[in-house]
Amino acid sequence: MFARYIKNMRHVNTASFILLVVWMLCACGADTAMKKGDKFFALGEYYDAASYYKKAYSQTAAKERPLRGQRALKMADCYRRINQTQRAMAAYNNAVRYKQADTTALLHLAQLQLKNGSYREAEKTFLMLTDSAMNNPLIKVGLESARMAPQWKAEADYSGYTVKKQEFFNSRRAEFSPALTGDDYDQLFFSSTRNQAKGEELSGITGTKNADIFFSQKDDKGKWSKPEPIESDLNTEEDEGACTFSSDGKTMYLTICKTDPSYPRYAQVATAKRSDASWGKATVLEISRDTLSTFAHPCVSPDGMWLYFVSDMPGGKGGYDIWRAELSTSGILSIENMGEPINTPGDEMFPTCRPNGDLYFSSNGHPGFGGLDIYIVRSEQAPPSAPEGATIDPSPDSKTIEAPSGAVGGASLLTLEHPGWPLNSAGDDFGMTFEGLHNRGYFSSNRGDARGWDHIYSFEKSEVIQTVKGWVYEQDGYELPQGLVHMVGNDGTNKKISVRGDGSFVEEIKPGVSYVFLGTCKGFLNHKEELRVEPVLESEEYVLQFPLASITAPVLIDNIFYDFDKATLRPESKDALDKLVALLNENPNVTIELSAHTDNRGSDQYNERLSQRRAESVVNYLIEHGIAADRLSPKGYGEGKPKVIKRKLTEKYPWLKADDELTPAFIDALADEEKQEICHQLNRRTEFTVLRTTYGMFDAEGKVKAQPAKPTQEEQNEDEDELW
């Protein structure tokens, strides 16, 4: 019996020794894994850090409860940062179970429960914090969100938004921050970590490829092309994303994150220039000399004066804040924090400027559904009777408070709105882009994706919007992309509008307002259009044309008709002549030569006399309609100046080429009689040429005349009704 006992004890001792060795090896392996995890965490590579923390956690004995709780906490923090909500909640719950969850951990758990749509559980967790940390504004906001979110979701029918997932743009990885651009908003850029992104290595931050910028083009039938990465030096093996564009579409602002194996990586704002259809390499835009803060998510204001961005630099409200920098041709002039009601102790990110002046952004620091919710800041002028100081609307989804200095649009009040469900969800909703002035476009969200990957959604909200679309172009020529339009309304509107690449512009207009638009371009005469906007029940777009007459080249006066073989103006000429009268009134410092031309049939003397009399007929009409005679010089050239073809005219007559001169020899060389007759018709024309642009500006001694004194603001107000 004794011998059997000794034998059994030997077996027990051997087994215990083996278990001890295994435990020591596991403990050693867990410690090594923790050190590696801490190293990756310090570099911001949370995906790699989480894998080592998970390994260390699994190798930690169950009886080591405090140690398992601490390692679960680190693992949870990594999963939270890479949007793996389910894994993060499980790890935080383990930390709670092992009694290692502090106030910060409980707050993160409650916020994740909100993001998961688990509002009852979130409320319970927030209530656990109320006694010890109720002064934390994020706890107050979170508790309100958990209690009110189900009710807000039930009121979704009142939001007016329609949201659809756009599978065509999406992949099995992440897509985010779409950006529409192009003259007709027919180009969509977005960021993606799909397999087509450059590089072979996976990011230690996310576990996927680094993001590249992808592109899709809409054709004439409204069909989008297959998304492809930008083929230029813009995309690299490092991170590029969250792009936006200047109003002319020639400059891209984006976020880049460079790789450094031994140093934490901070996101930076960069710019890239477009040359023809190709984008150049991204160049860092130095917003601040601060090298230890993040600068990301750029957005340019519609007027091009401000660059909005996100940063955690000192001087903010907490977390990530939205800031803005004043732009100039020489660089950045100043930086300011957007303050309340936009920024909170939470995170405010992904600012977007809607063309109508509203600012959209995402935040987890305001009451919402969970994760990042989209909010709208609208600029409004304070009514004369508004009391001084802040005024707050008690409703949960709208706040109106007095704006800080230099607020959006320079208005007196900012209204903060939460657009509700389904634009917002329990997940992260962010990165909006608009199709012009309409309340439709695209945004990104990770709603419903258990892996936390973002995808692109479309949105639309029906609104009655009145717009004006105009084109600035050379009379008898092509668009003038250097054009500028001055827009003045009797409601106080006063804008300078730079046209797009096709010479067009689109602006929102208000009912009950009268507008004056003045199209201008260097080297051309001005052109004015007036518009009175009446209320409508459906969205409507008004179209204006701004044909600008060249100062340096003859300008054709189209649709001028004379009786056969006479100088008598026909009634059909009245519209064209009245437009010329208006043009001269709009440009009162201009003098012109009014020239008439004939074809080469008939004698030279006869054609010269006929053309002179016709030019004088036009001049007489202009004088009769109020144009000073000394601004007009009639000249008949007969057949002496054959027409020189402009490139625009070759679209109508492809058999002609730009700079062809319709001389008798040129016309006779045409075998087709119909083409010959067309050339004769083109030679028979009436034109004007600008002679001077300083008429009436100097006195008899050659000095510039004194300009009338500028009226005071009181005089302007008294005369406003008369002016309009």
Side-chain angles (χ1 to χ4, degrees):
M1 179 66 68
F2 180 76
R4 185 177 179 182
Y5 173 77
I6 293 296
K7 183 179 180 180
N8 288 340
M9 283 300 297
R10 187 181 296 117
H11 289 163
V12 170
N13 290 339
T14 301
S16 299
F17 177 76
I18 292 173
L19 289 173
L20 177 63
V21 170
V22 170
W23 178 83
M24 291 178 66
L25 289 174
C26 288
C28 183
D31 290 341
T32 300
M34 286 299 298
K35 290 180 180 179
K36 290 183 177 180
D38 289 342
K39 178 182 177 181
F40 283 116
F41 189 92
L43 294 174
E45 297 182 351
Y46 304 116
Y47 180 87
D48 288 345
S51 66
Y52 282 104
Y53 288 149
K54 181 180 179 181
K55 181 179 179 180
Y57 177 83
S58 63
Q59 292 179 348
T60 304
K63 64 180 181 180
E64 299 285 343
R65 296 176 63 85
L67 192 58
R68 279 177 69 88
Q70 294 165 14
R71 291 173 176 175
L73 201 57
K74 288 199 169 187
M75 185 167 51
D77 199 21
C78 291
Y79 287 139
R80 175 180 63 85
R81 292 171 183 267
I82 60 177
N83 277 336
Q84 295 192 10
T85 303
Q86 297 292 341
R87 291 183 176 182
M89 287 194 301
Y92 276 122
N93 280 323
N94 282 334
V96 172
R97 182 157 58 95
Y98 292 126
K99 298 183 180 180
Q100 296 300 308
D102 57 10
T103 300
T104 300
L106 287 175
L107 175 58
H108 288 156
L109 174 59
Q111 290 173 331
L112 288 168
Q113 290 167 335
L114 277 180
K115 190 174 182 179
N116 195 51
S118 305
Y119 296 123
R120 290 187 178 180
E121 289 80 357
E123 182 180 1
K124 292 177 182 178
T125 307
F126 279 120
L127 286 172
M128 293 170 61
L129 294 164
T130 54
D131 292 337
S132 59
M134 195 55 191
N135 289 330
N136 187 333
L138 294 179
I139 296 176
K140 295 180 181 180
V141 166
L143 186 58
E144 180 182 355
S145 299
R147 288 172 171 171
M148 297 301 297
Q151 178 181 332
W152 295 336
K153 188 173 180 180
E155 297 172 350
D157 292 342
Y158 299 102
S159 76
Y161 283 93
T162 301
V163 171
K164 295 180 181 178
K165 191 174 183 180
Q166 296 299 303
E167 298 293 357
F168 181 76
F169 300 121
N170 295 319
S171 69
R172 295 183 177 181
R173 294 295 183 267
E175 289 80 31
F176 57 95
S177 293
L180 284 167
T181 187
D183 292 335
D184 296 315
Y185 302 97
D186 54 357
Q187 301 171 27
L188 182 70
F189 292 78
F190 61 89
S191 308
S192 178
T193 61
R194 62 184 65 190
N195 293 334
Q196 289 85 351
K198 284 188 176 181
E200 298 299 328
E201 295 185 4
L202 301 182
S203 167
I205 302 175
T206 63
T208 65
K209 281 191 172 185
N210 286 327
D212 274 354
I213 297 177
F214 286 71
F215 165 80
S216 180
Q217 175 80 46
K218 186 192 291 185
D219 62 20
D220 294 338
K221 297 180 180 179
K223 183 178 179 180
W224 290 100
S225 65
K226 179 183 177 182
E228 298 288 348
I230 295 177
E231 295 295 340
S232 71
D233 293 334
L234 179 68
N235 284 325
T236 68
E237 294 186 1
E238 298 174 333
D239 255 319
E240 294 88 23
C243 66
T244 188
F245 299 89
S246 59
S247 58
D248 61 7
K250 295 180 180 179
T251 303
M252 177 191 294
Y253 294 80
L254 67 156
T255 306
I256 62 173
C257 190
K258 297 185 178 296
T259 301
D260 189 331
S262 60
Y263 195 77
R265 285 162 285 178
Y266 298 95
Q268 297 172 294
V269 172
T271 62
K273 299 292 184 179
R274 178 170 60 85
S275 176
D276 295 327
S278 179
W279 288 98
K281 188 176 181 179
T283 303
V284 173
L285 176 66
E286 186 179 277
I287 296 176
S288 167
R289 294 185 178 179
D290 181 352
T291 60
L292 298 178
S293 299
T294 289
F295 299 89
H297 309 165
C299 163
V300 183
S301 62
D303 58 11
M305 294 179 59
W306 299 96
L307 175 71
Y308 295 87
F309 62 94
V310 169
S311 181
D312 58 353
M313 64 176 148
K317 298 293 182 180
Y320 290 102
D321 275 14
I322 294 177
W323 301 68
R324 73 174 185 176
E326 187 176 2
L327 296 175
S328 73
T329 54
S330 59
I332 290 175
L333 298 180
S334 62
I335 302 173
E336 61 182 341
N337 187 282
M338 293 302 295
E340 297 179 352
I342 295 174
N343 292 320
T344 70
D347 293 326
E348 282 69 47
M349 309 168 79
F350 298 97
T352 297
C353 292
R354 186 176 171 185
N356 69 356
D358 294 341
L359 178 68
Y360 287 64
F361 67 97
S362 296
S363 171
N364 59 16
H366 294 282
F369 290 109
L372 293 172
D373 270 20
I374 294 169
Y375 295 85
I376 309 169
V377 178
R378 304 189 193 277
S379 303
E380 298 178 356
Q381 292 293 335
S385 58
E388 294 184 0
T391 60
I392 301 180
D393 189 327
S395 63
D397 60 348
S398 177
K399 293 181 179 179
T400 303
I401 85 167
E402 188 174 1
S405 174
V408 180
S412 301
L413 294 179
L414 296 183
T415 303
L416 180 65
E417 296 182 14
H418 182 263
W421 185 279
L423 189 63
N424 285 312
S425 68
D428 292 324
D429 307 290
F430 61 95
M432 300 189 74
T433 185
F434 291 87
E435 185 182 330
L437 291 166
H438 298 283
N439 199 350
R440 61 174 180 255
Y442 299 94
F443 72 108
S444 38
S445 176
N446 55 34
R447 63 184 71 185
D449 193 305
R451 297 161 295 184
W453 288 341
D454 308 309
H455 300 292
I456 293 176
Y457 289 74
S458 66
F459 72 91
E460 183 170 5
K461 182 178 181 180
S462 297
E463 290 182 350
V464 176
I465 299 176
Q466 291 175 272
T467 59
V468 57
K469 185 171 186 177
W471 277 272
V472 179
Y473 56 94
E474 181 182 2
Q475 197 165 317
D476 301 323
Y478 289 95
E479 63 273 0
L480 295 170
Q482 300 83 19
L484 187 70
V485 177
H486 298 260
M487 175 181 174
V488 179
N490 63 346
D491 64 339
T493 299
N494 193 338
K495 293 183 178 180
K496 291 182 180 179
I497 308 167
S498 297
V499 301
R500 300 182 294 195
D502 64 348
S504 70
F505 70 92
V506 179
E507 282 290 326
E508 185 174 3
I509 48 181
K510 302 296 184 183
V513 179
S514 294
Y515 295 94
V516 173
F517 298 86
L518 188 68
T520 66
C521 187
K522 186 177 181 180
F524 295 85
L525 300 182
N526 299 333
H527 180 82
K528 183 175 72 174
E529 291 286 344
E530 298 184 14
L531 180 64
R532 169 70 183 180
V533 185
E534 301 297 340
V536 295
L537 299 178
E538 297 181 355
S539 295
E540 184 172 348
E541 184 173 76
Y542 301 83
V543 177
L544 299 177
Q545 304 285 346
F546 295 87
L548 303 189
S550 173
I551 293 177
T552 59
V555 179
L556 176 68
I557 309 173
D558 210 359
N559 298 321
I560 298 293
F561 305 99
Y562 307 91
D563 287 339
F564 177 71
D565 208 25
K566 295 182 180 179
T568 307
L569 287 166
R570 295 182 60 82
E572 305 95 281
S573 306
K574 184 177 185 302
D575 288 344
L577 292 172
D578 288 345
K579 289 180 180 178
L580 182 55
V581 171
L583 179 66
L584 292 170
N585 285 328
E586 292 164 8
N587 298 271
N589 301 119
V590 166
T591 64
I592 64 171
E593 175 188 273
L594 203 296
S595 61
H597 305 263
T598 66
D599 58 35
N600 67 323
R601 293 178 290 194
S603 67
D604 292 350
Q605 295 82 358
Y606 176 81
N607 286 336
E608 286 183 11
R609 288 196 301 269
L610 178 62
S611 60
Q612 180 66 30
R613 287 188 288 119
R614 287 180 170 179
E616 290 172 353
S617 294
V618 175
V619 166
N620 290 335
Y621 183 95
L622 300 178
I623 294 172
E624 290 171 2
H625 287 77
I627 305 300
D630 58 349
R631 297 179 61 192
L632 308 170
S633 299
K635 178 64 176 177
Y637 286 97
E639 60 189 78
K641 285 192 173 184
K643 184 174 180 65
V644 177
I645 299 300
K646 288 187 176 182
R647 185 164 60 94
K648 181 70 173 177
L649 197 58
T650 63
E651 296 178 3
K652 185 176 181 180
Y653 304 113
W655 45 274
L656 291 173
K657 296 179 181 179
D659 298 326
D660 280 348
E661 187 176 5
L662 304 186
T663 62
F666 179 91
I667 297 174
D668 291 341
L670 298 172
D672 191 327
E673 292 185 2
E674 183 179 353
K675 292 180 180 179
Q676 290 181 348
E677 182 55 35
I678 290 173
C679 290
H680 288 310
Q681 291 175 3
L682 293 174
N683 272 332
R684 297 192 297 268
R685 66 198 190 278
T686 304
E687 297 176 333
F688 74 85
T689 304
V690 175
L691 299 177
R692 292 169 52 205
T693 57
T694 57
Y695 174 82
M697 295 177 63
F698 300 94
D699 59 21
E701 298 178 358
K703 297 180 180 179
V704 177
K705 291 182 179 179
Q707 298 298 313
K710 185 177 180 180
T712 65
Q713 185 62 51
E714 184 178 353
E715 290 172 334
Q716 290 180 4
N717 294 336
E718 291 175 353
D719 293 342
E720 184 174 320
D721 292 338
E722 181 180 349
L723 286 171
W724 293 101

